[in-house]
Amino acid sequence: MSDPTVADTRRLNSKPQDLTDAYGPPSNFLEIDVYDPQTVGVGRNRFTTYEVRMRTNLPIFKLKDSVVRRRYSDFEWLKNELERDSKIVVPPLPGKALKRQLPFRGDEGIFEEAFIEERRVGLEQFINRLAGHPLAQNERCLHMFLQDESIDRNYIPGKVRHSPRGETGEVSTARPPNPTPFNCFALSLGPTLPLPQVADIPMLLNNCISVTVNSMYIYTYIICNLCKGKLLGCSHAVHLTCS
Amino acid sequence: MSFFSFGQSAEIDVVLTDAETRKKAEHKTEDGKKDKYFLFYDGETVAGKVNVTLKNPGKRLEHQGIKIEFVGQIELYYDRGNHHEFVSLVKDLARPGELTQSQTFDFEFTHVEKPYESYTGQNVKLRYFLRATVSRRLNDISKEMDIVVHTLSTYPELNSSIKMEVGIEDCLHIEFEYNKSKYHLKDVIVGKIYFLLVRIKIKHMEIDIIKRETTGTGPSVYHENDTIAKYEIMDGAPVRGESIPIRLFLAGYEMTPTMRDINKKFSVRYYLNLVLIDEEERRYFKQQEITLWRKGDVVRKSMSAQATIGAQRFEGSASSESALEKEE
């Protein structure tokens, strides 16, 4: 007989896990390598390109293994596109190093080996952090950057839809018979702004924008550019770009 | 006490009849310190004595009346001047006249209604106190004695579990379940998180308890959020089909019962916040309100009367939860 004064803390029943799920490859594999810097061109028209190789099993990416060559200004282009079109806070790029581009330096400037290596590491961190963001994965520009041979700067910006169940990628095991919008998950904007404390986020709901992604709702939090979210429920105008 | 009184002065103090037997409860003061006060429940009688002790025996004390009040009031910190009294009882102990010697007056407030629980928060305070006053022409002599009131409830008839599937399409699908929607302050939250789809790199998962105090109405509404607890329930990356159990003991945390729209002045609500953090420190969360209630410690004959009164005042229903989802 259970004692009514002591709470029943037995675990809730749960479905046993399928062994292929338990021991199979994880569904979140995404790795991007930025390597093999090559300096092309001569004289003042030189620039450095890097090989960007992505390996993934995420169904949203058309190619599971892709290799392209990109230069620093391509990464800048991607950052600008995302800052303009999406609501996410884009991670920082390694510096532009304008000083290194001035003449009369004692060293190789931006073609200095140590500098290129430092930049390579920064670019790799940048693209890995970005490509893992669920909202960034919906942007056409990211896919073009990672998987198209060259970047068409005259492209038409747009969203990439997750493909319907035709993909061989796995599907959620529980799909409601009449797909209704999920109760939404709130997705924070990313680590570059000071992380709002968990308790702050409900406040920011008053300043948030609901983004429709594939007919599901994601609430994205916009942190006020003026007070950086320090004033809970501030009535400053909401800006969409981070500073 | 006035420094300018050359005549008689007096000390006044209040002693409860059942001071020896009545329990005391700890309650936080405005500056964060903890103090003990006599504990009362709704409907209980408040009785005792007021002692007026003359400072200079032999001299007379002229006064305009001696009275004792029982007050329940709400004080908003941003509007200190206006106290909102929701209970105000007075007993006159002596008509205007003279006291030639120290005197004791009995008083009794019978079966006093104490509809709300004592609360000291970030922007608002709800308190009950006795105030004995000797009125005088220039300055009154008065003494306040705070008491603490707890509101009790019984096990709610309807206490459905909270079960929901949430996520971001094609990135993360989870089903979370909490065994109840209404928990008492010493209860245990038992639940589980079931992963249906995991396409992001999760680093860990935690449950936070958030207390939100809301004061004010209309354009000037203030919310104060306070994270009472952060409890990690998973460390590492889950895959599809995994079930993570939750067992969170509430007794270890300082919480009050849920207070909804108290006297139309303030609310104190509690939320469970399920947070998943990925490798890049992005946070994915789902917040869900829970109702907290206070269970009576001992079942005594008089207690069941209080519990019945408490249960009648108890608010909370399944419909309020669905309203909250829309709010989010």
Side-chain angles (χ1 to χ4, degrees):
Chain A
M1 186 184 80
S2 60
D3 183 353
T5 58
V6 177
D8 184 0
T9 60
R10 288 173 301 175
R11 289 190 182 184
L12 300 181
N13 289 329
S14 53
K15 292 172 256 208
Q17 187 182 24
D18 189 73
L19 287 182
T20 47
D21 284 337
Y23 293 102
S27 331
N28 57 7
F29 181 63
L30 172 68
E31 265 174 33
I32 304 178
D33 296 311
V34 176
Y35 59 100
D36 189 26
Q38 299 286 345
T39 304
V40 296
V42 283
R44 269 197 263 137
N45 297 325
R46 284 179 296 169
F47 60 91
T48 309
T49 63
Y50 305 82
E51 192 151 292
V52 178
R53 180 179 183 192
M54 177 168 87
R55 280 167 299 171
T56 183
N57 63 3
L58 299 184
I60 194 165
F61 291 106
K62 272 221 195 76
L63 302 174
K64 302 303 173 232
D65 198 335
S66 65
V67 179
V68 295
R69 275 227 158 246
R70 297 285 180 253
R71 56 185 292 191
Y72 182 84
S73 55
D74 293 333
F75 284 83
E76 272 187 314
W77 169 87
L78 177 63
K79 182 171 202 270
N80 292 332
E81 291 297 297
L82 287 171
E83 278 175 348
R84 187 194 64 220
D85 287 343
S86 82
K87 311 281 189 294
I88 72 177
V89 167
V90 183
L93 272 176
K96 263 183 91 71
L98 290 168
K99 276 207 278 196
R100 282 184 174 265
Q101 293 177 49
L102 294 172
F104 308 123
R105 284 183 67 101
D107 59 15
E108 296 280 307
I110 56 169
F111 302 105
E112 187 72 28
E113 247 185 67
F115 170 74
I116 287 180
E117 174 57 21
E118 197 185 301
R119 181 175 266 197
R120 183 199 70 76
V121 168
L123 292 175
E124 195 172 74
Q125 282 175 356
F126 167 83
I127 193 64
N128 272 289
R129 205 184 265 187
L130 193 51
H133 195 305
L135 290 185
Q137 288 167 5
N138 289 327
E139 297 292 329
R140 181 88 202 87
C141 55
L142 178 72
H143 291 259
M144 187 160 74
F145 177 93
L146 286 171
Q147 307 205 309
D148 287 6
E149 174 145 352
S150 57
I151 294 175
D152 173 12
R153 303 220 170 186
N154 298 318
Y155 84 118
I156 299 161
K159 306 285 181 212
V160 173
R161 298 251 168 274
H162 289 273
S163 56
R165 259 177 281 178
E167 272 283 325
T168 51
E170 75 207 275
V171 166
S172 168
T173 52
R175 216 156 244 268
N178 302 312
T180 48
F182 281 127
N183 292 291
C184 69
F185 242 121
L187 178 63
S188 76
L189 293 174
T192 53
L193 282 186
L195 263 187
Q197 291 307 297
V198 172
D200 291 353
I201 294 179
M203 265 316 300
L204 293 172
L205 260 174
N206 298 328
N207 287 342
C208 82
I209 289 176
S210 74
V211 175
T212 317
V213 178
N214 307 320
S215 85
M216 302 299 166
Y217 290 94
I218 301 176
Y219 283 98
T220 311
Y221 296 96
I222 317 298
I223 298 182
C224 168
N225 215 17
L226 292 173
C227 69
K228 302 284 191 281
K230 288 210 175 63
L231 292 179
L232 299 184
C234 76
S235 54
H236 300 147
V238 168
H239 298 264
L240 293 187
T241 54
C242 68
S243 61
Chain B
M1 220 147 330
S2 167
F3 291 110
F4 297 107
S5 60
F6 297 106
Q8 178 60 284
S9 185
E11 261 177 25
I12 187 168
D13 71 285
V14 179
V15 179
L16 295 179
T17 310
D18 51 8
E20 300 287 306
T21 50
R22 182 165 289 278
K23 266 186 152 166
K24 283 192 159 183
E26 257 186 24
H27 192 79
K28 208 168 36 121
T29 59
E30 214 178 302
D31 44 12
K33 280 188 294 175
K34 282 233 199 117
D35 256 330
K36 284 192 165 215
Y37 303 93
F38 285 111
L39 175 63
F40 281 85
Y41 298 100
D42 188 17
E44 284 194 297
T45 293
V46 185
K49 296 182 194 300
V50 176
N51 299 319
V52 183
T53 315
L54 298 182
K55 283 235 179 110
N56 306 315
K59 275 195 167 173
R60 297 162 196 273
L61 178 75
E62 271 184 39
H63 65 87
Q64 319 303 119
I66 305 178
K67 66 180 180 197
I68 182 154
E69 299 167 274
F70 181 85
V71 178
Q73 74 181 27
I74 296 173
E75 192 183 304
L76 293 161
Y77 295 171
Y78 56 82
D79 189 19
R80 297 266 189 185
N82 292 324
H83 293 166
H84 304 273
E85 289 183 1
F86 55 89
V87 174
S88 182
L89 305 170
V90 180
K91 292 261 189 253
D92 284 317
L93 300 174
R95 282 183 295 148
E98 274 183 356
L99 282 185
T100 48
Q101 56 185 17
S102 301
Q103 209 170 329
T104 293
F105 302 89
D106 289 323
F107 71 88
E108 181 176 297
F109 294 101
T110 330
H111 299 316
V112 184
E113 243 191 54
K114 305 175 203 74
Y116 311 120
E117 173 147 330
S118 297
Y119 176 73
T120 302
Q122 304 256 55
N123 284 325
V124 62
K125 185 157 75 163
L126 189 155
R127 59 187 272 244
Y128 295 85
F129 57 94
L130 285 161
R131 179 168 54 211
T133 310
V134 176
S135 303
R136 299 201 297 172
R137 247 177 302 128
L138 287 176
N139 49 353
D140 295 344
I141 306 168
S142 82
K143 185 81 185 288
E144 282 183 5
M145 184 180 106
D146 271 57
I147 61 158
V148 156
V149 171
H150 284 173
T151 52
L152 300 179
S153 305
T154 48
Y155 281 97
E157 265 173 41
L158 212 63
N159 199 352
S160 50
S161 65
I162 302 172
K163 189 167 177 173
M164 228 179 270
E165 193 183 309
V166 296
I168 296 172
E169 193 179 32
D170 288 327
C171 288
L172 176 67
H173 295 172
I174 62 164
E175 185 191 76
F176 71 87
E177 186 178 345
Y178 306 132
N179 62 333
K180 303 182 200 173
S181 37
K182 299 165 191 160
Y183 292 93
H184 63 80
L185 296 179
K186 309 249 186 291
D187 215 332
V188 188
I189 298 177
V190 174
K192 71 177 207 287
I193 311 293
Y194 180 71
F195 288 89
L196 295 152
L197 180 72
V198 188
R199 292 215 179 107
I200 55 172
K201 295 178 188 172
I202 296 174
K203 198 164 64 158
H204 66 96
M205 178 164 67
E206 66 184 43
I207 283 212
D208 302 342
I209 303 177
I210 299 177
K211 168 180 156 191
R212 185 195 249 187
E213 178 193 289
T214 304
T215 48
T217 50
S220 57
V221 173
Y222 296 94
H223 296 291
E224 289 287 345
N225 293 312
D226 190 19
T227 303
I228 305 254
K230 274 185 188 237
Y231 190 71
E232 185 178 272
I233 55 174
M234 177 187 83
D235 183 21
V239 293
R240 181 166 85 157
E242 273 193 79
S243 223
I244 304 297
I246 299 167
R247 191 192 293 163
L248 180 51
F249 289 85
L250 296 179
Y253 304 107
E254 262 177 46
M255 298 187 295
T256 69
T258 293
M259 301 166 91
R260 287 204 176 89
D261 205 25
I262 299 300
N263 208 233
K264 299 201 193 338
K265 294 273 174 291
F266 71 95
S267 296
V268 180
R269 302 165 92 128
Y270 291 88
Y271 301 84
L272 285 182
N273 206 19
L274 177 70
V275 188
L276 289 92
I277 297 117
D278 74 12
E279 298 270 335
E280 301 297 342
E281 303 296 324
R282 287 179 284 256
R283 303 168 73 101
Y284 307 74
F285 71 83
K286 179 71 182 121
Q287 203 174 82
Q288 192 65 36
E289 182 173 5
I290 53 168
T291 302
L292 295 183
W293 56 279
R294 187 184 288 279
K295 191 161 75 119
D297 285 327
V298 180
V299 180
R300 291 178 283 160
K301 243 207 268 191
S302 61
M303 196 58 71
S304 52
Q306 264 88 56
T308 318
I309 297 168
Q312 282 163 5
R313 296 228 165 77
F314 179 77
E315 289 162 344
S317 64
S319 61
S320 61
E321 269 138 29
S322 51
L324 268 158
E325 282 159 31
K326 291 208 193 82
E327 184 187 300
E328 282 198 59

